[in-house]
């Protein structure tokens, strides 16, 4: 073997896996992801929300796939500093393919606007599960687990500094807190370099209209102001 040939044995040709941020398992076929919850969703699987949406729209990792009209992936700024996580799509969302477009969504927009936050600039909205649970029931743990890899990929792609957990389902499935939302709402939880805050779900505020000091709407007003203050602090 010539010197030239010997030295060429040390050449390193970067492969797709070696040059991507996280190496994909050998023999892994990403097209199997939407078909079985036993196939994990490795970190770094998606390089765009559109590609992920394509998988979600033919996903049968849990039974919710059998009922959907549209998978509901998210809306808002794809590079927003705040990610807001709801529970799961309702009827309007299933029809439109967009999260929080029904009555809860209208209230949510008002809450964000009260401190000058918009989905154009500051917020990306998603859910724990991407398909509507029948009768708007709470998603089961198995359904949330089957879908969790998609949300983790969204968190990685958007890379928000702040994550707002609207309601107990988001709180339980994303940070593992099983306490009641009234106990922990408004508190910052620092995890993996991000600031998480549990807040009331807008649907809860629609059912509890009181504006009394200490009531749900008043508490939400305190919380959203704290979120804005944290965002301003992180931006300064
Ligand atoms: N409630 C949610 O939690 N998410 C939606 O997208 C709509 C209503």
């Amino acid at each position: 073997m010539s010197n030239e040939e010997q030295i060429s044995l040390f050449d390193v040709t970067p492969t797709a896996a070696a040059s991507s941020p996280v190496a994909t398992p050998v023999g892994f076929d990403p097209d199997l992801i939407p078909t079985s919850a036993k196939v994990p969703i490795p970190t770094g699987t998606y390089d765009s929300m559109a590609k992920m949406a394509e998988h979600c729209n033919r996903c049968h990792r849990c039974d919710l796939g059998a009922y959907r009209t549209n998978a509901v992936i998210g809306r808002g700024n794809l590079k927003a500093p705040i990610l807001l996580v709801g529970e799961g799509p309702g009827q309007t969302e299933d029809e439109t393919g967009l999260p929080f477009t029904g009555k809860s969504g209208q209230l949510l927009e008002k809450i964000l606007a009260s401190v000058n936050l918009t989905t154009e600039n500051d917020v990306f909205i998603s859910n724990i599960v991407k398909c509507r649970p029948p009768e708007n029931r709470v998603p089961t743990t198995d359904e949330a687990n089957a879908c969790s890899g998609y949300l983790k990929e969204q968190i990685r792609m958007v890379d928000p500094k702040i994550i707002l957990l609207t309601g107990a389902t988001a709180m339980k499935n994303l940070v593992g807190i099983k306490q009641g939302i009234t106990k922990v709402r408004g508190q910052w939880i620092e995890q993996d370099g991000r600031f998480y805050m549990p807040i009331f779900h807008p649907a809860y505020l629609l059912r509890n209209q009181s504006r009394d000091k200490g009531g749900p709407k008043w508490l939400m007003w305190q919380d959203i102001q704290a979120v804005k203050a944290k965002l301003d602090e992180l931006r300064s």
Side-chain angles (χ1 to χ4, degrees), residues 86-90 93 99-100 104 127 201:
E87 181 173 286
E93 291 78 17
F100 282 101
S104 292
N127 278 311
H201 193 287

Side-chain angles (χ1 to χ4, degrees), residues 110-233:
K110 283 189 184 163
I111 292 165
L112 296 174
S114 71
V115 287
N116 293 323
L117 295 176
T118 64
T119 45
E120 284 75 40
N121 296 314
D122 314 292
V123 186
F124 185 81
I125 301 178
S126 188
N127 278 311
I128 290 291
V129 292
K130 310 297 188 239
C131 300
R132 182 192 181 197
E135 315 297 329
N136 296 340
R137 65 162 170 73
V138 176
T140 64
T141 304
D142 281 351
E143 288 159 357
N145 287 344
C147 217
S148 68
Y150 294 130
L151 182 56
K152 284 185 189 142
E153 280 294 88
Q154 291 186 297
I155 295 174
R156 186 186 59 78
M157 286 189 278
V158 177
D159 196 19
K161 295 271 174 292
I162 295 172
I163 300 186
L164 300 179
L165 307 160
T166 60
T169 305
M171 192 171 73
K172 183 176 118 198
N173 288 293
L174 212 49
V175 290
I177 295 178
K178 292 187 185 132
Q179 281 167 289
I181 190 84
T182 35
K183 285 238 168 68
V184 282
R185 54 129 285 280
Q187 296 178 33
W188 289 112
I189 302 155
E190 231 181 305
Q191 231 177 65
D192 309 325
R194 304 186 205 277
F195 294 93
Y196 293 77
M197 185 194 277
I199 58 173
F200 286 133
H201 193 287
Y204 177 73
L205 300 183
L206 289 172
R207 294 193 299 270
N208 296 274
Q209 293 280 357
S210 154
R211 291 160 176 236
D212 293 350
K213 190 171 177 191
K217 279 199 167 169
W218 184 86
L219 291 170
M220 178 60 108
W221 172 233
Q222 312 307 306
D223 295 348
I224 201 67
Q225 287 180 93
V227 170
K228 180 64 162 58
K230 175 67 85 183
L231 180 64
D232 290 345
E233 178 195 317

Side-chain angles (χ1 to χ4, degrees), residues 3-20:
N3 262 358
E4 186 80 354
E5 280 169 324
Q6 272 185 320
I7 288 170
S8 74
L9 294 176
F10 292 88
D11 280 356
V12 178
T13 316
T15 61
S19 57
S20 64

